[in-house]
């Protein structure tokens, strides 16, 4: 993100027109100077209009990233440890296929601290994103989140409320030339 881009981070409920959560929308430069305790546990891949106080689609200024949320193949969430491990392995294979085979530019892969991975890609053209929705379930993706940059995603280093485990970055685009 550019230093002057406005981004949101916080709890999922920290959004709304009442203005109580205006401190959750800050520029990248402001967030970089904020104490770590102010961040998270969620973030959205959107950039926001100046003065935004709601994670509503009409407040999104831009969508530099699309996040693919791998929740379970054919809409079935993995439950056992072996199912979760297989799901993560298969999700990584699909992420690699999208990256190498479809030539989407991968930015990061986040393990949520539970059963799913979030793959952050630099946003391809909107028709490409829309075309993915039809096959999302088969690919293990949450179709309702595709192309919805206002939706919150787990921020790395944050505790997952259901498992108590910390989310973590398992791959990050190398930004050094």
């Amino acid at each position: 993100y550019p230093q002057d881009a406005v981004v949101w981070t916080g709890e999922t409920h920290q959004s709304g027109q009442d203005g109580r959560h205006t401190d959750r929308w800050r520029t990248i430069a402001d967030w970089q100077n904020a104490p770590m305790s102010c961040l998270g546990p969620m973030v959205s891949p959107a950039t926001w209009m100046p003065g935004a106080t709601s994670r509503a689609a009409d407040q999104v200024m831009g969508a530099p990233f699309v996040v693919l949320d791998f929740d379970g193949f054919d809409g079935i969430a993995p439950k056992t440890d072996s199912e979760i491990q297989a799901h993560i392995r298969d999700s990584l294979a699909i992420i690699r296929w999208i990256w190498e085979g479809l030539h989407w530019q991968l930015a990061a892969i986040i393990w949520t601290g539970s059963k799913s991975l979030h793959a952050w890609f630099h946003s391809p053209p909107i028709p490409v994103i829309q075309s993915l929705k039809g096959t999302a379930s088969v690919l293990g993706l949450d179709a309702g989140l595709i192309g919805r940059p206002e939706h919150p995603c787990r921020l790395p280093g944050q505790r997952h409320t259901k498992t108590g485990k910390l989310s973590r970055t398992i791959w990050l685009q190398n930004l050094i030339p």
Side-chain angles (χ1 to χ4, degrees):
Y1 296 100
Q3 290 291 298
D4 62 346
V6 175
V7 297
W8 172 89
T9 181
E11 298 281 354
T12 55
H13 70 273
Q14 292 177 314
S15 172
Q17 297 298 338
D18 61 13
R20 290 185 302 146
H21 306 294
T22 58
D23 64 327
R24 306 318 307 169
W25 282 264
R26 302 184 193 180
T27 65
I28 290 292
D30 289 340
W31 281 120
Q32 287 174 331
N33 292 318
M36 290 297 290
S37 61
C38 290
L39 299 174
M42 308 296 272
V43 66
S44 74
T47 59
W48 300 91
M49 292 183 191
T53 60
S54 175
R55 267 189 351 272
D58 66 352
Q59 297 294 303
V60 172
M61 179 172 270
F65 301 98
V66 62
V67 178
L68 303 182
D69 183 357
F70 288 83
D71 276 344
F73 295 98
D74 292 320
I76 302 167
K79 291 180 179 53
T80 67
D81 285 342
S82 62
E83 287 174 350
I84 291 170
Q85 290 304 312
H87 171 70
I88 289 172
R89 180 198 63 228
D90 295 345
S91 297
L92 287 168
I94 291 172
I95 292 167
R96 185 174 182 179
W97 169 70
I98 293 170
W99 180 25
E100 293 178 354
L102 300 180
H103 306 288
W104 287 30
Q105 188 179 1
L106 183 61
I109 303 171
I110 310 299
W111 176 64
T112 64
S114 184
K115 64 180 174 11
S116 63
L117 296 176
H118 291 174
W120 286 61
F121 287 93
H122 294 272
S123 288
I126 291 173
V128 174
I129 294 170
Q130 295 301 323
S131 72
L132 187 58
K133 287 185 177 186
T135 58
S137 179
V138 173
L139 295 175
L141 298 169
D142 185 337
L145 303 182
I146 297 172
R148 304 247 344 256
E150 71 276 10
H151 192 276
C153 304
R154 188 139 331 263
L155 190 63
Q158 302 294 315
R159 197 161 303 283
H160 194 286
T161 55
K162 292 179 185 173
T163 67
K165 296 177 182 175
L166 291 178
S167 58
R168 63 179 189 252
T169 304
I170 60 173
W171 190 89
L172 185 65
Q173 176 186 20
N174 184 357
L175 299 177
I176 299 172

